[in-house]
């Protein structure tokens, strides 16, 4: 019984972390797009930076599913 409760709590924490990671990704991409609109970076640079942000998020996803390493 206690173990089931602990699993529920851990699941809530995990979901909160996933939401936080998605929010950081969204904010990063919005910032990159704003910089492009303001002429601070080129379209090519925007694509590269968006890919970098996505790859970082994917790294967290991989780590989340494989805690050993």
């Amino acid at each position: 019984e206690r173990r089931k409760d602990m699993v529920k709590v851990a699941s809530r924490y995990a979901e909160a972390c996933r939401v936080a990671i998605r929010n950081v990704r969204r904010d990063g991409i919005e910032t990159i797009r704003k910089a492009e609109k303001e002429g601070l970076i080129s379209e090519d640079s925007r694509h590269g930076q968006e890919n970098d942000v996505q790859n970082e998020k994917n790294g967290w996803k991989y780590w989340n599913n494989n805690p050993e390493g």
Side-chain angles (χ1 to χ4, degrees):
E1 185 67 28
R2 177 88 172 125
R3 193 178 319 163
K4 287 180 183 180
D5 291 338
M6 294 299 285
V7 168
K8 288 179 186 178
V9 170
S11 295
R12 281 188 226 124
Y13 279 121
E15 181 60 25
C17 289
R18 285 189 290 269
V19 169
I21 290 169
R22 283 194 298 265
N23 289 339
V24 168
R25 175 189 169 274
R26 185 192 65 230
D27 293 344
I29 289 177
E30 284 177 6
T31 301
I32 292 166
R33 288 181 181 170
K34 260 187 217 175
E36 182 197 12
K37 254 186 192 174
E38 293 170 1
L40 300 174
I41 60 173
S42 67
E43 184 177 355
D44 289 339
S45 180
R46 176 183 59 89
H47 283 293
Q49 290 180 18
E50 284 181 357
N51 286 337
D52 291 345
V53 169
Q54 182 64 39
N55 290 337
E56 284 296 319
K57 184 230 160 237
N58 290 345
W60 279 101
K61 181 179 176 183
Y62 176 79
W63 181 84
N64 229 359
N65 292 333
N66 297 301
E68 295 88 31

